[in-house]
Amino acid sequence: MLSLASCGGGGKGEQSGPQTPVGSVTVTPGELTLVVGASQQLTTSVRDEAGNPLTGRAITWSSTEPAVATVSDAGNVTAVGAGSATITASSEGKSGSATVTVSVALPRSASLATGGAHTCALTTGGSAFCWGRGESGQLGIPIPTTTCELQTGTFPCSRVPVAVGGGLAFAQLAAGGSHTCGLTNEGVAHCWGNNVSGQLGDSSSNNRDTPVPVATELRFVAIDAGAQHTCGLTSDGAAYCWGANDRGQLGTGTTSSSSVPVAVTGGHTFQQIAAGGFEVSEPGYRIGQSCALTLTGAAYCWGDNESGQLGIGGRDLTAHPVPAPVSGDIKFVALTTGLASHTCGVTAAGSAYCWGQNSFGALGNPSVGDSFVPVPVSGGLAFVQLIAGGFIGHTCGLTASGKAYCWGENELGQVGDDSTIDRFAPSAVAGDLSFNALDAGYRHLCPCDLGDPLLLGRQRRRPAGRRLDQPTRRADGGRGTAVRRTSGR
């Protein structure tokens, strides 16, 4: 154990003198997360038994794991190696401590995938890292011993990126409600995490904390994960889905769930597939929707239509297990449907359309309520990409110049416009940054700044009342919007 000593400081009106014994020592912050090479200053508060501040007392600093983190005689912590260490400040037999978690700096990210309350990144070399909630194995590691406090309770989590187990190299990642999937360069699908509905596709309902191969000989070129189902697309445009099917989100013509891939009915040839849905706490109630785009740009959707997110001209509580054409005969070049109850598409001209729930502005059109057919996003902006967020709905779009705009529910700052006001029309993301890709999630926005993820919205270990409504460096988080920043800006 490394130990160093210094003297504590005080302020005006504080009591001092050796005649007053030290009653307590408090270290601030009590928890911190650093990457190797980073440092942070700790401070102490020394008080007597009555709680009065004391000054001029010698402070001895120590680290339980100097190979992980060292501490100077002034309380400055430096991260040395991956792991966890306790930093202790002692004075006259009393002590306080802080816990520091150190991770190796995550290499530049090739892409991000945001899940219900976890986020994963894929490096340029194909290595996968995840962080956030991990109670179901969705991080690709055994259930973490560290915890994060949420409004709904305390959950196991990792506050720093951790390497997904198994040593596989992936070309693509997709994160769902509480599961994650990846495709290798050969198109082999692997999944991990929550498997209560068979969404991992390994012919079981057992949760997995390392990637397991999907039980099929099929090779996929694309994969996407919904609340509790997963869909993949083969090179010949055939769509397959697996997992929960309460509302027909697998597209098989039935509502029978499947723990292995099953073919989407209809004989369509698709160029893109998107899986979404809203995960609710009621046992046995797992809703979701899927949408896909044909080679001619026609949009089809199936599954849950409670808010009109299928775009078929109405809403209902019945299952829609067969792909149905989206109303309006609009030709799209991309579709998105997230962990919520709305869907969006963008045309070749960059025009954005959305449909489904609009209670908090997810459709980007203040003149309508929930819409059962595509309606144009207001503002006249041309987008090269759209992404639908989760929960009660937010959406983000990227222009050709790399400017990001978001709209919809903004209680936790996920719109990123330096406010927590819900937006019913596109609002520019603060910071004058330029990006080259988006991925939307539950209630946070997680950009990549030159390969380094940033975060907007919900942060899992924030001080009480703190929200992030402008870009900040990566932290752990739930499903949100991930962005990669372009060079030169």
Side-chain angles (χ1 to χ4, degrees), residues 275-377:
F278 188 68
E279 190 167 4
V280 295
S281 58
E282 182 179 342
Y285 188 65
R286 299 175 293 274
I287 58 179
Q289 70 273 351
S290 305
C291 292
L293 198 63
T294 70
L295 297 178
T296 62
Y300 285 78
C301 293
W302 58 95
D304 178 45
N305 195 40
E306 185 172 348
S307 298
Q309 61 264 46
L310 301 189
I312 56 177
R315 71 160 140 210
D316 53 61
L317 297 177
T318 61
H320 292 266
V322 176
V326 173
S327 301
D329 196 30
I330 301 170
K331 300 303 180 184
F332 296 103
V333 294
L335 291 176
T336 175
T337 184
L339 298 182
S341 300
H342 73 290
T343 306
C344 297
V346 62
T347 69
S351 300
Y353 293 82
C354 294
W355 54 97
Q357 187 179 37
N358 198 36
S359 302
F360 296 88
L363 305 190
N365 189 320
S367 65
V368 300
D370 293 354
S371 179
F372 317 138
V373 298
V375 293
V377 173

Side-chain angles (χ1 to χ4, degrees), residues 37-64:
S39 62
Q40 183 166 335
Q41 179 66 48
L42 300 180
T43 60
T44 59
S45 174
V46 181
R47 297 180 180 273
D48 63 19
E49 292 289 352
N52 299 308
L54 302 174
T55 63
R57 303 307 173 92
I59 302 293
T60 299
W61 291 93
S62 63
S63 171
T64 58

